[in-house]
mmCIF file of all heavy atoms in Angstrom:
data_model
loop_
_atom_site.group_PDB
_atom_site.id
_atom_site.type_symbol
_atom_site.label_atom_id
_atom_site.label_comp_id
_atom_site.label_asym_id
_atom_site.label_seq_id
_atom_site.Cartn_x
_atom_site.Cartn_y
_atom_site.Cartn_z
ATOM 1 N N GLY A 709 14.908 17.376 4.181
ATOM 2 C CA GLY A 709 15.825 16.955 5.235
ATOM 3 C C GLY A 709 16.000 15.468 5.381
ATOM 4 O O GLY A 709 16.535 14.991 6.381
ATOM 5 N N GLY A 710 15.553 14.709 4.377
ATOM 6 C CA GLY A 710 15.725 13.263 4.439
ATOM 7 C C GLY A 710 14.644 12.595 5.268
ATOM 8 O O GLY A 710 13.750 13.251 5.811
ATOM 9 N N PRO A 711 14.701 11.265 5.394
ATOM 10 C CA PRO A 711 13.666 10.524 6.127
ATOM 11 C C PRO A 711 13.680 10.856 7.618
ATOM 12 O O PRO A 711 14.678 10.650 8.302
ATOM 13 C CB PRO A 711 14.044 9.055 5.879
ATOM 14 C CG PRO A 711 15.495 9.069 5.527
ATOM 15 C CD PRO A 711 15.738 10.379 4.842
ATOM 16 N N GLN A 712 12.573 11.394 8.097
ATOM 17 C CA GLN A 712 12.464 11.750 9.515
ATOM 18 C C GLN A 712 11.171 11.220 10.132
ATOM 19 O O GLN A 712 10.673 11.769 11.104
ATOM 20 C CB GLN A 712 12.522 13.276 9.678
ATOM 21 C CG GLN A 712 13.819 13.899 9.172
ATOM 22 C CD GLN A 712 13.856 15.395 9.428
ATOM 23 O OE1 GLN A 712 13.792 15.849 10.572
ATOM 24 N NE2 GLN A 712 13.966 16.172 8.358
ATOM 25 N N GLY A 713 10.649 10.150 9.553
ATOM 26 C CA GLY A 713 9.435 9.556 10.099
ATOM 27 C C GLY A 713 8.197 9.970 9.335
ATOM 28 O O GLY A 713 8.166 11.004 8.672
ATOM 29 N N ILE A 714 7.134 9.149 9.456
ATOM 30 C CA ILE A 714 5.954 9.415 8.643
ATOM 31 C C ILE A 714 5.130 10.587 9.174
ATOM 32 O O ILE A 714 4.399 11.229 8.409
ATOM 33 C CB ILE A 714 5.085 8.159 8.459
ATOM 34 C CG1 ILE A 714 4.576 7.619 9.791
ATOM 35 C CG2 ILE A 714 5.844 7.093 7.699
ATOM 36 C CD1 ILE A 714 3.548 6.509 9.607
ATOM 37 N N ALA A 715 5.238 10.905 10.474
ATOM 38 C CA ALA A 715 4.559 12.114 10.964
ATOM 39 C C ALA A 715 5.154 13.354 10.293
ATOM 40 O O ALA A 715 4.447 14.323 10.001
ATOM 41 C CB ALA A 715 4.675 12.214 12.474
ATOM 42 N N HIS A 716 6.456 13.297 10.014
ATOM 43 C CA HIS A 716 7.124 14.416 9.351
ATOM 44 C C HIS A 716 6.666 14.550 7.901
ATOM 45 O O HIS A 716 6.647 15.666 7.350
ATOM 46 C CB HIS A 716 8.643 14.215 9.418
ATOM 47 C CG HIS A 716 9.429 15.354 8.858
ATOM 48 N ND1 HIS A 716 10.065 15.286 7.639
ATOM 49 C CD2 HIS A 716 9.677 16.597 9.345
ATOM 50 C CE1 HIS A 716 10.677 16.424 7.400
ATOM 51 N NE2 HIS A 716 10.465 17.238 8.411
ATOM 52 N N VAL A 717 6.289 13.437 7.265
ATOM 53 C CA VAL A 717 5.730 13.499 5.918
ATOM 54 C C VAL A 717 4.508 14.417 5.901
ATOM 55 O O VAL A 717 4.360 15.289 5.042
ATOM 56 C CB VAL A 717 5.338 12.089 5.417
ATOM 57 C CG1 VAL A 717 4.522 12.177 4.124
ATOM 58 C CG2 VAL A 717 6.573 11.236 5.198
ATOM 59 N N VAL A 718 3.621 14.225 6.875
ATOM 60 C CA VAL A 718 2.410 15.043 6.952
ATOM 61 C C VAL A 718 2.768 16.502 7.208
ATOM 62 O O VAL A 718 2.198 17.415 6.583
ATOM 63 C CB VAL A 718 1.472 14.519 8.051
ATOM 64 C CG1 VAL A 718 0.216 15.391 8.142
ATOM 65 C CG2 VAL A 718 1.085 13.070 7.769
ATOM 66 N N LYS A 719 3.710 16.741 8.099
ATOM 67 C CA LYS A 719 4.121 18.117 8.402
ATOM 68 C C LYS A 719 4.589 18.836 7.135
ATOM 69 O O LYS A 719 4.314 20.026 6.941
ATOM 70 C CB LYS A 719 5.233 18.099 9.452
ATOM 71 C CG LYS A 719 5.811 19.481 9.791
ATOM 72 C CD LYS A 719 4.799 20.390 10.448
ATOM 73 C CE LYS A 719 5.447 21.701 10.879
ATOM 74 N NZ LYS A 719 4.459 22.653 11.468
ATOM 75 N N CYS A 720 5.288 18.116 6.264
ATOM 76 C CA CYS A 720 5.799 18.722 5.026
ATOM 77 C C CYS A 720 4.674 19.113 4.065
ATOM 78 O O CYS A 720 4.892 19.896 3.140
ATOM 79 C CB CYS A 720 6.759 17.758 4.327
ATOM 80 S SG CYS A 720 8.323 17.507 5.197
ATOM 81 N N ALA A 721 3.476 18.582 4.287
ATOM 82 C CA ALA A 721 2.332 18.901 3.419
ATOM 83 C C ALA A 721 1.394 19.920 4.058
ATOM 84 O O ALA A 721 0.294 20.156 3.551
ATOM 85 C CB ALA A 721 1.559 17.628 3.095
ATOM 86 N N GLU A 722 1.833 20.560 5.145
ATOM 87 C CA GLU A 722 0.943 21.459 5.885
ATOM 88 C C GLU A 722 0.398 22.576 5.003
ATOM 89 O O GLU A 722 -0.773 22.964 5.108
ATOM 90 C CB GLU A 722 1.680 22.049 7.091
ATOM 91 C CG GLU A 722 0.805 22.932 7.957
ATOM 92 C CD GLU A 722 1.523 23.412 9.220
ATOM 93 O OE1 GLU A 722 2.749 23.153 9.360
ATOM 94 O OE2 GLU A 722 0.853 24.035 10.058
ATOM 95 N N HIS A 723 1.223 23.106 4.091
ATOM 96 C CA HIS A 723 0.763 24.225 3.263
ATOM 97 C C HIS A 723 -0.292 23.777 2.257
ATOM 98 O O HIS A 723 -1.056 24.600 1.741
ATOM 99 C CB HIS A 723 1.942 24.887 2.549
ATOM 100 C CG HIS A 723 2.678 23.994 1.595
ATOM 101 N ND1 HIS A 723 3.467 22.941 2.022
ATOM 102 C CD2 HIS A 723 2.751 23.998 0.239
ATOM 103 C CE1 HIS A 723 3.992 22.333 0.968
ATOM 104 N NE2 HIS A 723 3.575 22.948 -0.118
ATOM 105 N N PHE A 724 -0.356 22.474 1.952
ATOM 106 C CA PHE A 724 -1.423 21.968 1.097
ATOM 107 C C PHE A 724 -2.723 21.778 1.886
ATOM 108 O O PHE A 724 -3.818 22.026 1.389
ATOM 109 C CB PHE A 724 -1.040 20.610 0.487
ATOM 110 C CG PHE A 724 0.040 20.673 -0.549
ATOM 111 C CD1 PHE A 724 1.156 19.854 -0.459
ATOM 112 C CD2 PHE A 724 -0.066 21.521 -1.640
ATOM 113 C CE1 PHE A 724 2.151 19.889 -1.421
ATOM 114 C CE2 PHE A 724 0.923 21.570 -2.619
ATOM 115 C CZ PHE A 724 2.033 20.754 -2.504
ATOM 116 N N ILE A 725 -2.589 21.308 3.121
ATOM 117 C CA ILE A 725 -3.744 20.900 3.907
ATOM 118 C C ILE A 725 -4.432 22.084 4.584
ATOM 119 O O ILE A 725 -5.659 22.174 4.623
ATOM 120 C CB ILE A 725 -3.331 19.856 4.969
ATOM 121 C CG1 ILE A 725 -2.752 18.605 4.288
ATOM 122 C CG2 ILE A 725 -4.511 19.492 5.862
ATOM 123 C CD1 ILE A 725 -3.695 17.904 3.349
ATOM 124 N N GLY A 726 -3.631 23.016 5.124
ATOM 125 C CA GLY A 726 -4.215 24.140 5.847
ATOM 126 C C GLY A 726 -4.992 23.665 7.062
ATOM 127 O O GLY A 726 -4.506 22.830 7.828
ATOM 128 N N ASN A 727 -6.205 24.137 7.229
ATOM 129 C CA ASN A 727 -7.052 23.740 8.362
ATOM 130 C C ASN A 727 -8.098 22.700 7.984
ATOM 131 O O ASN A 727 -9.014 22.428 8.762
ATOM 132 C CB ASN A 727 -7.753 24.974 8.948
ATOM 133 C CG ASN A 727 -6.782 25.898 9.661
ATOM 134 O OD1 ASN A 727 -5.854 25.442 10.326
ATOM 135 N ND2 ASN A 727 -6.989 27.194 9.502
ATOM 136 N N ASP A 728 -7.968 22.123 6.803
ATOM 137 C CA ASP A 728 -8.973 21.163 6.341
ATOM 138 C C ASP A 728 -8.733 19.770 6.930
ATOM 139 O O ASP A 728 -7.585 19.371 7.157
ATOM 140 C CB ASP A 728 -8.941 21.062 4.816
ATOM 141 C CG ASP A 728 -9.344 22.356 4.139
ATOM 142 O OD1 ASP A 728 -10.157 23.102 4.725
ATOM 143 O OD2 ASP A 728 -8.856 22.624 3.024
ATOM 144 N N PRO A 729 -9.800 19.009 7.157
ATOM 145 C CA PRO A 729 -9.617 17.601 7.530
ATOM 146 C C PRO A 729 -9.026 16.832 6.346
ATOM 147 O O PRO A 729 -9.189 17.231 5.196
ATOM 148 C CB PRO A 729 -11.036 17.131 7.843
ATOM 149 C CG PRO A 729 -11.916 18.039 7.058
ATOM 150 C CD PRO A 729 -11.217 19.369 7.013
ATOM 151 N N PHE A 730 -8.345 15.724 6.648
ATOM 152 C CA PHE A 730 -7.698 14.985 5.563
ATOM 153 C C PHE A 730 -7.478 13.532 5.949
ATOM 154 O O PHE A 730 -7.492 13.164 7.126
ATOM 155 C CB PHE A 730 -6.352 15.633 5.200
ATOM 156 C CG PHE A 730 -5.319 15.590 6.302
ATOM 157 C CD1 PHE A 730 -4.320 14.616 6.318
ATOM 158 C CD2 PHE A 730 -5.333 16.530 7.330
ATOM 159 C CE1 PHE A 730 -3.367 14.574 7.327
ATOM 160 C CE2 PHE A 730 -4.386 16.503 8.347
ATOM 161 C CZ PHE A 730 -3.399 15.522 8.339
ATOM 162 N N MET A 731 -7.261 12.718 4.926
ATOM 163 C CA MET A 731 -6.875 11.317 5.107
ATOM 164 C C MET A 731 -5.381 11.195 4.875
ATOM 165 O O MET A 731 -4.827 11.839 3.981
ATOM 166 C CB MET A 731 -7.630 10.422 4.127
ATOM 167 C CG MET A 731 -7.267 8.946 4.214
ATOM 168 S SD MET A 731 -8.065 7.938 2.915
ATOM 169 C CE MET A 731 -9.783 8.054 3.429
ATOM 170 N N PHE A 732 -4.733 10.375 5.674
ATOM 171 C CA PHE A 732 -3.321 10.038 5.473
ATOM 172 C C PHE A 732 -3.261 8.544 5.220
ATOM 173 O O PHE A 732 -3.691 7.745 6.052
ATOM 174 C CB PHE A 732 -2.500 10.423 6.697
ATOM 175 C CG PHE A 732 -1.020 10.151 6.580
ATOM 176 C CD1 PHE A 732 -0.345 10.285 5.384
ATOM 177 C CD2 PHE A 732 -0.285 9.773 7.702
ATOM 178 C CE1 PHE A 732 1.014 10.044 5.277
ATOM 179 C CE2 PHE A 732 1.077 9.535 7.617
ATOM 180 C CZ PHE A 732 1.724 9.669 6.414
ATOM 181 N N TYR A 733 -2.757 8.164 4.044
ATOM 182 C CA TYR A 733 -2.775 6.767 3.611
ATOM 183 C C TYR A 733 -1.348 6.352 3.263
ATOM 184 O O TYR A 733 -0.733 6.932 2.371
ATOM 185 C CB TYR A 733 -3.687 6.634 2.385
ATOM 186 C CG TYR A 733 -4.037 5.221 1.967
ATOM 187 C CD1 TYR A 733 -5.355 4.798 1.887
ATOM 188 C CD2 TYR A 733 -3.053 4.300 1.608
ATOM 189 C CE1 TYR A 733 -5.693 3.510 1.481
ATOM 190 C CE2 TYR A 733 -3.369 3.023 1.213
ATOM 191 C CZ TYR A 733 -4.703 2.630 1.154
ATOM 192 O OH TYR A 733 -5.013 1.358 0.753
ATOM 193 N N LEU A 734 -0.851 5.352 3.965
ATOM 194 C CA LEU A 734 0.451 4.779 3.619
ATOM 195 C C LEU A 734 0.236 3.860 2.417
ATOM 196 O O LEU A 734 -0.405 2.816 2.526
ATOM 197 C CB LEU A 734 1.034 4.003 4.801
ATOM 198 C CG LEU A 734 1.131 4.757 6.133
ATOM 199 C CD1 LEU A 734 1.894 3.916 7.157
ATOM 200 C CD2 LEU A 734 1.790 6.112 5.958
ATOM 201 N N SER A 735 0.796 4.250 1.284
ATOM 202 C CA SER A 735 0.444 3.606 0.019
ATOM 203 C C SER A 735 0.904 2.162 -0.095
ATOM 204 O O SER A 735 0.510 1.462 -1.037
ATOM 205 C CB SER A 735 1.030 4.419 -1.148
ATOM 206 O OG SER A 735 0.598 5.754 -1.102
ATOM 207 N N ASP A 736 1.744 1.710 0.824
ATOM 208 C CA ASP A 736 2.145 0.303 0.797
ATOM 209 C C ASP A 736 1.213 -0.558 1.649
ATOM 210 O O ASP A 736 1.507 -1.724 1.918
ATOM 211 C CB ASP A 736 3.596 0.129 1.244
ATOM 212 C CG ASP A 736 3.879 0.715 2.616
ATOM 213 O OD1 ASP A 736 2.960 1.315 3.224
ATOM 214 O OD2 ASP A 736 5.032 0.587 3.095
ATOM 215 N N ASN A 737 0.093 0.011 2.095
ATOM 216 C CA ASN A 737 -0.946 -0.763 2.775
ATOM 217 C C ASN A 737 -2.023 -1.127 1.761
ATOM 218 O O ASN A 737 -2.497 -0.269 1.012
ATOM 219 C CB ASN A 737 -1.575 0.061 3.898
ATOM 220 C CG ASN A 737 -0.748 0.060 5.172
ATOM 221 O OD1 ASN A 737 -1.268 -0.187 6.258
ATOM 222 N ND2 ASN A 737 0.539 0.345 5.065
ATOM 223 N N ILE A 738 -2.395 -2.384 1.750
ATOM 224 C CA ILE A 738 -3.439 -2.859 0.848
ATOM 225 C C ILE A 738 -4.637 -3.279 1.694
ATOM 226 O O ILE A 738 -4.510 -4.070 2.623
ATOM 227 C CB ILE A 738 -2.955 -4.053 0.010
ATOM 228 C CG1 ILE A 738 -1.728 -3.656 -0.830
ATOM 229 C CG2 ILE A 738 -4.078 -4.575 -0.873
ATOM 230 C CD1 ILE A 738 -2.001 -2.606 -1.877
ATOM 231 N N ILE A 739 -5.790 -2.715 1.374
ATOM 232 C CA ILE A 739 -7.027 -3.058 2.077
ATOM 233 C C ILE A 739 -8.072 -3.443 1.047
ATOM 234 O O ILE A 739 -8.162 -2.817 -0.018
ATOM 235 C CB ILE A 739 -7.504 -1.878 2.962
ATOM 236 C CG1 ILE A 739 -8.766 -2.258 3.728
ATOM 237 C CG2 ILE A 739 -7.699 -0.611 2.156
ATOM 238 C CD1 ILE A 739 -9.199 -1.227 4.751
ATOM 239 N N LEU A 740 -8.866 -4.458 1.356
ATOM 240 C CA LEU A 740 -9.832 -4.929 0.381
ATOM 241 C C LEU A 740 -11.182 -4.227 0.516
ATOM 242 O O LEU A 740 -11.918 -4.105 -0.448
ATOM 243 C CB LEU A 740 -10.028 -6.445 0.508
ATOM 244 C CG LEU A 740 -8.798 -7.303 0.213
ATOM 245 C CD1 LEU A 740 -9.194 -8.760 0.042
ATOM 246 C CD2 LEU A 740 -8.055 -6.829 -1.032
ATOM 247 N N GLY A 741 -11.519 -3.748 1.699
ATOM 248 C CA GLY A 741 -12.802 -3.098 1.906
ATOM 249 C C GLY A 741 -12.806 -1.646 1.460
ATOM 250 O O GLY A 741 -11.774 -1.059 1.134
ATOM 251 N N SER A 742 -13.994 -1.031 1.487
ATOM 252 C CA SER A 742 -14.154 0.367 1.123
ATOM 253 C C SER A 742 -13.725 1.275 2.269
ATOM 254 O O SER A 742 -13.905 0.949 3.453
ATOM 255 C CB SER A 742 -15.615 0.647 0.775
ATOM 256 O OG SER A 742 -15.838 2.032 0.598
ATOM 257 N N LEU A 743 -13.165 2.441 1.924
ATOM 258 C CA LEU A 743 -12.808 3.450 2.920
ATOM 259 C C LEU A 743 -13.946 4.429 3.181
ATOM 260 O O LEU A 743 -13.870 5.237 4.105
ATOM 261 C CB LEU A 743 -11.571 4.231 2.455
ATOM 262 C CG LEU A 743 -10.304 3.424 2.173
ATOM 263 C CD1 LEU A 743 -9.183 4.361 1.746
ATOM 264 C CD2 LEU A 743 -9.888 2.617 3.389
ATOM 265 N N LYS A 744 -14.986 4.366 2.387
ATOM 266 C CA LYS A 744 -16.082 5.338 2.517
ATOM 267 C C LYS A 744 -16.722 5.318 3.906
ATOM 268 O O LYS A 744 -16.987 6.388 4.481
ATOM 269 C CB LYS A 744 -17.123 5.075 1.432
ATOM 270 C CG LYS A 744 -18.188 6.168 1.346
ATOM 271 C CD LYS A 744 -19.165 5.895 0.205
ATOM 272 C CE LYS A 744 -18.489 6.030 -1.139
ATOM 273 N NZ LYS A 744 -19.473 5.900 -2.257
ATOM 274 N N PRO A 745 -16.984 4.150 4.514
ATOM 275 C CA PRO A 745 -17.566 4.162 5.860
ATOM 276 C C PRO A 745 -16.662 4.840 6.902
ATOM 277 O O PRO A 745 -17.163 5.438 7.856
ATOM 278 C CB PRO A 745 -17.755 2.672 6.178
ATOM 279 C CG PRO A 745 -17.856 2.014 4.847
ATOM 280 C CD PRO A 745 -16.919 2.781 3.957
ATOM 281 N N LEU A 746 -15.351 4.755 6.718
ATOM 282 C CA LEU A 746 -14.437 5.420 7.652
ATOM 283 C C LEU A 746 -14.586 6.930 7.554
ATOM 284 O O LEU A 746 -14.629 7.636 8.574
ATOM 285 C CB LEU A 746 -12.993 5.027 7.356
ATOM 286 C CG LEU A 746 -12.640 3.543 7.394
ATOM 287 C CD1 LEU A 746 -11.170 3.349 7.042
ATOM 288 C CD2 LEU A 746 -12.933 2.958 8.766
ATOM 289 N N VAL A 747 -14.655 7.436 6.325
ATOM 290 C CA VAL A 747 -14.813 8.874 6.111
ATOM 291 C C VAL A 747 -16.144 9.349 6.692
ATOM 292 O O VAL A 747 -16.224 10.398 7.351
ATOM 293 C CB VAL A 747 -14.713 9.211 4.611
ATOM 294 C CG1 VAL A 747 -15.032 10.683 4.368
ATOM 295 C CG2 VAL A 747 -13.328 8.879 4.088
ATOM 296 N N GLU A 748 -17.193 8.567 6.487
ATOM 297 C CA GLU A 748 -18.507 8.940 6.997
ATOM 298 C C GLU A 748 -18.525 8.947 8.521
ATOM 299 O O GLU A 748 -19.098 9.855 9.144
ATOM 300 C CB GLU A 748 -19.563 7.985 6.443
ATOM 301 C CG GLU A 748 -19.784 8.150 4.941
ATOM 302 C CD GLU A 748 -20.674 7.080 4.347
ATOM 303 O OE1 GLU A 748 -20.988 6.093 5.068
ATOM 304 O OE2 GLU A 748 -21.052 7.210 3.166
ATOM 305 N N LYS A 749 -17.884 7.968 9.140
ATOM 306 C CA LYS A 749 -17.843 7.927 10.604
ATOM 307 C C LYS A 749 -17.066 9.111 11.159
ATOM 308 O O LYS A 749 -17.489 9.751 12.129
ATOM 309 C CB LYS A 749 -17.204 6.616 11.071
ATOM 310 C CG LYS A 749 -17.085 6.499 12.596
ATOM 311 C CD LYS A 749 -16.555 5.135 13.013
ATOM 312 C CE LYS A 749 -16.444 5.036 14.542
ATOM 313 N NZ LYS A 749 -16.016 3.688 14.979
ATOM 314 N N PHE A 750 -15.945 9.421 10.546
ATOM 315 C CA PHE A 750 -15.128 10.544 11.004
ATOM 316 C C PHE A 750 -15.874 11.861 10.825
ATOM 317 O O PHE A 750 -15.897 12.709 11.720
ATOM 318 C CB PHE A 750 -13.811 10.577 10.223
ATOM 319 C CG PHE A 750 -12.919 11.725 10.574
ATOM 320 C CD1 PHE A 750 -12.188 11.728 11.746
ATOM 321 C CD2 PHE A 750 -12.807 12.824 9.725
ATOM 322 C CE1 PHE A 750 -11.363 12.790 12.077
ATOM 323 C CE2 PHE A 750 -11.990 13.890 10.038
ATOM 324 C CZ PHE A 750 -11.265 13.880 11.222
ATOM 325 N N SER A 751 -16.508 12.030 9.686
ATOM 326 C CA SER A 751 -17.176 13.287 9.375
ATOM 327 C C SER A 751 -18.388 13.539 10.259
ATOM 328 O O SER A 751 -18.705 14.687 10.580
ATOM 329 C CB SER A 751 -17.608 13.300 7.901
ATOM 330 O OG SER A 751 -16.496 13.155 7.050
ATOM 331 N N SER A 752 -19.062 12.477 10.670
ATOM 332 C CA SER A 752 -20.300 12.633 11.442
ATOM 333 C C SER A 752 -20.080 12.642 12.948
ATOM 334 O O SER A 752 -20.998 12.927 13.708
ATOM 335 C CB SER A 752 -21.279 11.513 11.090
ATOM 336 O OG SER A 752 -20.734 10.242 11.465
ATOM 337 N N GLY A 753 -18.837 12.354 13.398
ATOM 338 C CA GLY A 753 -18.626 12.166 14.829
ATOM 339 C C GLY A 753 -17.915 13.286 15.552
ATOM 340 O O GLY A 753 -17.570 13.145 16.719
ATOM 341 N N ASN A 754 -17.666 14.415 14.878
ATOM 342 C CA ASN A 754 -16.969 15.531 15.528
ATOM 343 C C ASN A 754 -15.655 15.069 16.147
ATOM 344 O O ASN A 754 -15.308 15.413 17.281
ATOM 345 C CB ASN A 754 -17.862 16.177 16.586
ATOM 346 C CG ASN A 754 -17.316 17.517 17.050
ATOM 347 O OD1 ASN A 754 -16.636 18.220 16.286
ATOM 348 N ND2 ASN A 754 -17.585 17.866 18.295
ATOM 349 N N SER A 755 -14.905 14.245 15.400
ATOM 350 C CA SER A 755 -13.675 13.643 15.910
ATOM 351 C C SER A 755 -12.457 14.447 15.474
ATOM 352 O O SER A 755 -12.471 15.132 14.449
ATOM 353 C CB SER A 755 -13.544 12.201 15.396
ATOM 354 O OG SER A 755 -14.687 11.448 15.719
#
Side-chain angles (χ1 to χ4, degrees):
Q712 299 183 60
I714 61 171
H716 184 254
V717 170
V718 179
K719 176 65 175 177
C720 291
E722 183 175 6
H723 62 290
F724 290 128
I725 299 300
N727 290 322
D728 295 330
F730 64 99
M731 178 186 292
F732 182 35
Y733 191 122
L734 307 187
S735 304
D736 56 357
N737 279 229
I738 301 295
I739 182 173
L740 297 194
S742 172
L743 302 181
K744 189 177 292 186
L746 302 179
V747 174
E748 291 172 351
K749 179 175 180 176
F750 178 76
S751 300
S752 63
N754 193 29
S755 305

